[in-house]
Amino acid sequence: MQSFRSEIENPVVEKDILELERKISLFKEGKIDEERFRSLRLARGVYGQRQLGVQMIRIKLPYGKVSSEQLHRIADVSDEYSRGRLHITTRQDIQIHYVSLDRTPELWAQLEKDDITLREACGNAVRNVTASETAGIDINEPFDVSPYAHATFEFFLRNPICQEMGRKFKMSFSATDEDTAISFMHDLGFIAKTKTIGGKTIKGFKVLLAGGLGSQPRHADVMYEFLEADLLIPTIEGVLRVFDRYGERSKRAKARLKFLVKDLGLDQFLTLVETERKALAYQSYSIDTSKFEQEITFETLEAPSVSIEDERAYEEWKQANVIKQKQEGLYAVGVKVHLGDFYTDKARLLADLIKKYAANELRFTLRQNILIRHVREEFLPFFYVELQKLGFTEVGYNSTADITACPGTDTCNLGISSSTGIAAELERVFKTEYPEYLNNKEVTIKISGCMNACGQHNMAHIGFQGMSVKVGNLLAPALQVLIGGGIVGNGEGRFSDKLVKIPSKRGPEALRILLNDFEDNKEEDEDFLAYYDRNGKTYFYDILKHLSDTTNLKEDDFIDWGHDKNYVKAIGVGECAGVVIDLIATLLFESEEKLENATQAFKEKQWSDSIYHGYSAIVNTAKALLTSEGKKTNTQAGIIKNFDEVFVETKKIELTTSFSELVYQINKNQPTEAFASKYLQEAKAFYTTIDAYRKVVVES
């Protein structure tokens, strides 16, 4: 694994990869406990999968943007370290499966050759920043949100304020009021807006705060109706600092931002954000958009001559899958990717196609598809012929029959029933029985294998959630049917109502009942949501209720879609260190690492980063001592308060001030060199005090 070192030009990246390599060795030697190792590898895109001994690797691709060179690199890595399959996620990432843990540092190093990272693709950090795939080409957009999404990705990547939060943090940028990046279900969602002030057009965003899906979906609050673009980064940093300090850490199910904002109330949360303002490195942060405003260039100027064998099919494809761009004479081509899965042989040919005949850019979409950008009108027949050779001209891009589904029980540890299996069957039903929906973009169908909603089932017009149902001594795979969710627009959305749980094999029949009733009983020009609202939840429960009867199940009902054996409810088993670790010693060891990071950041004159690393070291050190006493450490704010009560006020630990006064200097001082130096020295002194105290306690 050492060979990659000389190939990495960025020393920060090299250090990161070497650290992963070192921690893998320590884990296998039993020197790091499973929980600590899991946190580290997740922050580096390495995710345990359902099958023992292999990992899922998530490749972080900001707003889904990929060049030909990057797609070739991803394909090469998948062939070398995995099985040649690429999976597009609902956050515009790429996942590859069945990777050996030992080879992950080498894999990462290979990706970095084309500026592709795994860093913070998983774990309790800022996840991939998503955006409307049509950003930059949308006829209706006030401006391109791509540079703002990119700047957000870059600013918070490896940023010390968001490395070890209580839970993950998700952000999205929508190009227009259609809100195709689904702002209302994000921790922070941004919708492009402009405002005229003194005759000058100002760029900004409507800001949505603390939305989320999962078992308890929450609609985001409006944080600001209009936030000027230069305040974007400082605002995000303020929110992240408050979440890091006050967010739940022990009770995982309550650790998302939505629960913190619900508990505090919006006004109190915003007050805490304002309190952090003085500590920020930037009160205003101007984002350079010039790289995204460069002239679009092409390698090939003349369109190759082709013959279209089926003109009708070609016209249907253009109507369903081709989007007119705001740039004159240019079009985007949508590729419907079944369940988000495609293979490296086709990926390479697609990469060559966009480099030579388009403008060398595609974007993976939130619907698990591909959008090829900047195709000249005269090149559309050629693209149709070439994409047809790859099987990439199936109509239905972003249509009702274009079903979103998470991996479910295929590879996910948390999957309860098969998402991909039922999705494939429902798509077959559309093709054979409801062809009129192959280009219908008014109804969305989404499927998740469990309550966590990776497939976004609880914000779909029609959603299915994987479950199980007990029948005597047997278990059968089941689906919760949900109806009535969707995107309203301008930051408004709806969550689906849960209707009824049915055996999975009855999923297609449930779909038929709903579609038939809609077609038979809808009023003129009535869309699906209006039809649902007019009839009400009870009406739909009544027409589906008979499908929940389990007294008449057949043998086939106990076999999940895509399987040939009886269903077994099984949650995947994660890695195990196999030894008992001294948790307190591990926490103190981590504090030492944080102090080293603070020292290094100070040497590099990164005052704000140094201060935050020092803050993390102080809190982590206090957590170690509180843990040794069996005290609660649910939140950083709670740790600060409890340490004063347990150790300082009782005189067990002698400090020159209260612990809270020591810690909260962080939001009462500007991030200057002088304060960074002072805070670093105090963090080191505190660690020395606690380490000495701990040694006395252990020896006695």
Side-chain angles (χ1 to χ4, degrees), residues 309-581:
E309 294 181 2
D310 188 336
E311 284 289 343
R312 180 178 176 182
Y314 171 65
E315 291 300 324
E316 288 178 350
W317 171 79
K318 279 208 302 183
Q319 182 183 359
N321 292 25
V322 176
I323 302 167
K324 184 177 176 60
Q325 295 186 187
K326 68 180 183 182
Q327 293 86 0
E328 186 65 31
L330 295 184
Y331 292 80
V333 176
V335 176
K336 180 178 180 291
V337 182
H338 178 63
L339 301 177
D341 291 333
F342 67 118
Y343 289 83
T344 54
D345 55 345
K346 293 183 178 181
R348 289 190 180 89
L349 293 170
L350 181 62
D352 293 340
L353 189 64
I354 65 169
K355 182 174 177 62
K356 189 170 183 180
Y357 298 105
N360 196 20
E361 181 188 341
L362 60 79
R363 296 200 184 180
F364 297 121
T365 82
L366 296 159
R367 293 281 293 269
Q368 300 175 288
N369 291 318
I370 296 170
L371 186 67
I372 303 168
R373 296 154 64 95
H374 311 317
V375 177
R376 286 154 290 178
E377 186 172 14
E378 62 270 25
F379 278 67
L380 286 173
F382 171 73
F383 266 83
Y384 175 74
V385 170
E386 293 301 306
L387 290 174
Q388 193 174 43
K389 295 175 185 177
L390 301 179
F392 281 170
T393 54
E394 181 181 351
V395 297
Y397 175 80
N398 282 357
S399 72
T400 302
D402 187 4
I403 297 172
T404 300
C406 71
T409 52
D410 289 359
T411 54
C412 179
N413 278 329
L414 302 176
I416 297 174
S417 67
S418 174
S419 308
T420 58
I422 180 63
E425 179 60 20
L426 296 185
E427 287 199 5
R428 187 195 66 78
V429 169
F430 275 115
K431 290 177 183 177
T432 58
E433 301 176 35
Y434 299 91
E436 66 271 23
Y437 279 92
L438 294 179
N439 195 29
N440 182 309
K441 301 186 190 300
E442 303 303 317
V443 179
T444 59
I445 298 176
K446 297 175 181 283
I447 305 171
S448 298
C450 74
M451 72 180 84
N452 286 320
C454 294
Q456 303 172 346
H457 66 278
N458 47 9
M459 56 140 292
H461 292 80
I462 302 173
F464 297 93
Q465 176 193 324
M467 306 186 84
S468 63
V469 60
K470 190 169 185 179
V471 185
N473 295 324
L474 297 176
L475 278 177
L479 296 168
Q480 176 85 55
V481 184
L482 304 92
I483 308 182
I487 302 170
V488 177
N490 195 27
E492 292 291 327
R494 299 168 48 133
F495 296 122
S496 312
D497 292 326
K498 295 178 182 178
L499 291 184
V500 62
K501 181 166 75 170
I502 63 175
S504 289
K505 286 299 176 70
R506 295 176 184 172
E509 185 58 23
L511 179 66
R512 292 184 184 100
I513 290 171
L514 292 172
L515 293 179
N516 291 343
D517 195 82
F518 176 51
E519 292 300 327
D520 292 343
N521 299 312
K522 68 179 179 180
E523 296 180 350
E524 187 175 357
D525 297 326
E526 186 175 41
D527 65 24
F528 188 85
L529 292 180
Y531 153 78
Y532 175 73
D533 291 340
R534 176 169 60 84
N535 287 285
K537 179 179 177 179
T538 302
Y539 172 83
F540 292 94
Y541 170 78
D542 288 340
I543 65 173
L544 293 177
K545 183 181 177 181
H546 68 283
L547 296 180
S548 65
D549 182 9
T550 59
T551 62
N552 56 354
L553 294 190
K554 301 174 182 177
E555 184 176 343
D556 185 58
D557 290 315
F558 292 93
I559 301 173
D560 208 352
W561 292 106
H563 294 260
D564 56 11
K565 296 180 181 179
N566 273 12
Y567 170 77
V568 176
K569 183 179 179 180
I571 303 299
V573 180
E575 303 88 345
C576 179
V579 296
V580 177
I581 305 292

Side-chain angles (χ1 to χ4, degrees), residues 11-30:
V12 176
V13 173
E14 180 184 22
K15 179 183 176 183
D16 223 355
I17 297 174
L18 291 174
E19 181 69 0
L20 174 61
E21 182 185 46
R22 185 172 74 90
K23 290 294 176 65
I24 289 172
S25 296
L26 291 173
F27 171 68
K28 293 199 164 187
E29 293 167 9

Side-chain angles (χ1 to χ4, degrees), residues 93-116:
D93 297 302
I94 284 289
Q95 290 178 176
I96 60 178
H97 296 83
Y98 300 98
V99 177
S100 167
L101 178 63
D102 289 338
R103 303 193 74 190
T104 54
E106 183 184 342
L107 177 155
W108 187 1
Q110 291 299 317
L111 289 172
E112 287 286 354
K113 291 179 180 180
D114 280 296
D115 197 26
I116 305 167

Side-chain angles (χ1 to χ4, degrees), residues 189-216:
F190 304 95
I191 304 174
K193 300 281 185 179
T194 55
K195 195 173 186 178
T196 302
I197 301 176
K200 183 179 180 182
T201 300
I202 306 297
K203 295 178 181 178
F205 300 92
K206 182 175 184 176
V207 184
L208 283 297
L209 172 75
L213 294 180
S215 60
Q216 299 180 57

